[in-house]
Amino acid sequence: QKEVEQDPGPLSVPEGAIVSLNCTYSNSAFQYFMWYRQYSRKGPELLMYTYSSGNKEDGRFTAQVDKSSKYISLFIRDSQPSDSATYLCAMSAWGDSNYQLIWGAGTKLIIKP
Amino acid sequence: NAGVTQTPKFRVLKTGQSMTLLCAQDMNHEYMYWYRQDPGMGLRLIHYSVGEGTTAKGEVPDGYNVSRLKKQNFLLGLESAAPSQTSVYFCASSYRLLGSQGYEQYFGPGTRLTVT
């Protein structure tokens, strides 16, 4: 079993819909949770970052962490065609090796105009 | 700032040939990484470096070697290419997020390698 599980999709939704992307993990030591966005034929770029549990909002994006369930989510409101990309979750534990990220496989998101 | 750059962008090799992928960053980051990305597999860490002159193995190091002679450069070598090494290779560098113990990784644009 992988440390981080993420449904690869693709997830196809109409423009304007609310999108929910999710990851589950098994290592209770993870403290830092990140969402990266990767456009086709590009490198991933950091979208949002949260520490420990709770919510974080940035414009149309909300990142949520539920450490008790070992589950993280990324919500996209009023989705746009430009949001079409692969979304990768990544996480790291507290400690000496926290510079290493453990990655989900990525979910491909398609927003239909 | 150019950020993280990778050379070359595309390459086709025949089985058994060798090549070196070059990664350069101008952000003075200590940590650098090489990943490969294959469909459905996500990013898999090949090798990484925590500073100039140091390297370490990641999840899938076999068939690859690396060197970090200068802080800004991280080289990935394939000594004898195999079709299983057909992939997209990404280099990244990282720094500690302000006010946090977490690290953000910055990625290059990738190198698409095909081994026939």
Side-chain angles (χ1 to χ4, degrees):
Chain A
Q1 185 187 3
K2 292 183 179 180
E3 277 192 287
V4 178
E5 299 279 359
Q6 185 176 11
D7 188 331
L11 176 63
S12 183
V13 301
E15 182 176 355
I18 295 174
V19 175
S20 173
L21 302 166
N22 311 294
C23 289
T24 59
Y25 63 94
S26 57
N27 189 345
S28 58
F30 287 149
Q31 295 280 354
Y32 303 98
F33 304 93
M34 301 178 178
W35 286 96
Y36 281 74
R37 178 173 61 193
Q38 184 178 23
Y39 290 115
S40 181
R41 297 184 172 265
K42 301 286 187 184
E45 56 182 357
L46 182 65
L47 185 62
M48 296 197 67
Y49 152 77
T50 52
Y51 169 68
S52 194
S53 287
N55 291 2
K56 187 173 184 178
E57 191 173 316
D58 184 1
R60 297 183 295 111
F61 298 88
T62 299
Q64 196 171 78
V65 175
D66 182 350
K67 291 192 72 182
S68 62
S69 300
K70 297 190 181 70
Y71 189 89
I72 69 170
S73 300
L74 177 70
F75 299 97
I76 307 174
R77 291 183 299 280
D78 187 26
S79 56
Q80 304 294 312
S82 58
D83 295 328
S84 296
T86 296
Y87 290 79
L88 301 103
C89 63
M91 43 199 84
S92 66
W94 179 273
D96 291 341
S97 62
N98 58 348
Y99 51 83
Q100 288 198 45
L101 295 179
I102 310 302
W103 295 86
T107 299
K108 184 173 183 177
L109 174 65
I110 301 168
I111 308 297
K112 297 176 293 185
Chain B
N1 265 0
V4 179
T5 57
Q6 292 183 235
T7 309
K9 288 184 171 50
F10 304 94
R11 187 72 185 268
V12 178
L13 286 180
K14 294 188 188 304
T15 297
Q17 287 185 320
S18 64
M19 78 165 294
T20 300
L21 283 68
L22 172 63
C23 175
Q25 54 98 0
D26 61 1
M27 297 173 283
N28 201 35
H29 289 170
E30 288 293 333
Y31 302 92
M32 297 187 74
Y33 315 79
W34 275 107
Y35 292 95
R36 59 179 290 174
Q37 187 175 39
D38 302 292
M41 303 289 288
L43 289 165
R44 291 186 290 170
L45 184 64
I46 304 171
H47 286 279
Y48 65 96
S49 168
V50 301
E52 182 178 317
T54 71
T55 63
K57 294 180 181 180
E59 179 187 356
V60 289
D62 294 342
Y64 305 94
N65 57 75
V66 288
S67 65
R68 184 130 179 244
L69 299 179
K70 293 183 179 181
K71 185 177 183 179
Q72 64 266 36
N73 295 339
F74 196 27
L75 277 63
L76 178 71
L78 286 73
E79 291 182 344
S80 179
S84 60
Q85 294 178 305
T86 293
S87 188
V88 181
Y89 291 85
F90 286 102
C91 176
S93 67
S94 75
Y95 78 109
R96 182 175 289 179
L97 288 157
L98 190 64
S100 166
Q101 295 293 321
Y103 286 77
E104 174 183 353
Q105 293 188 9
Y106 280 92
F107 284 81
T111 295
R112 291 182 175 273
L113 175 66
T114 301
V115 183
T116 61

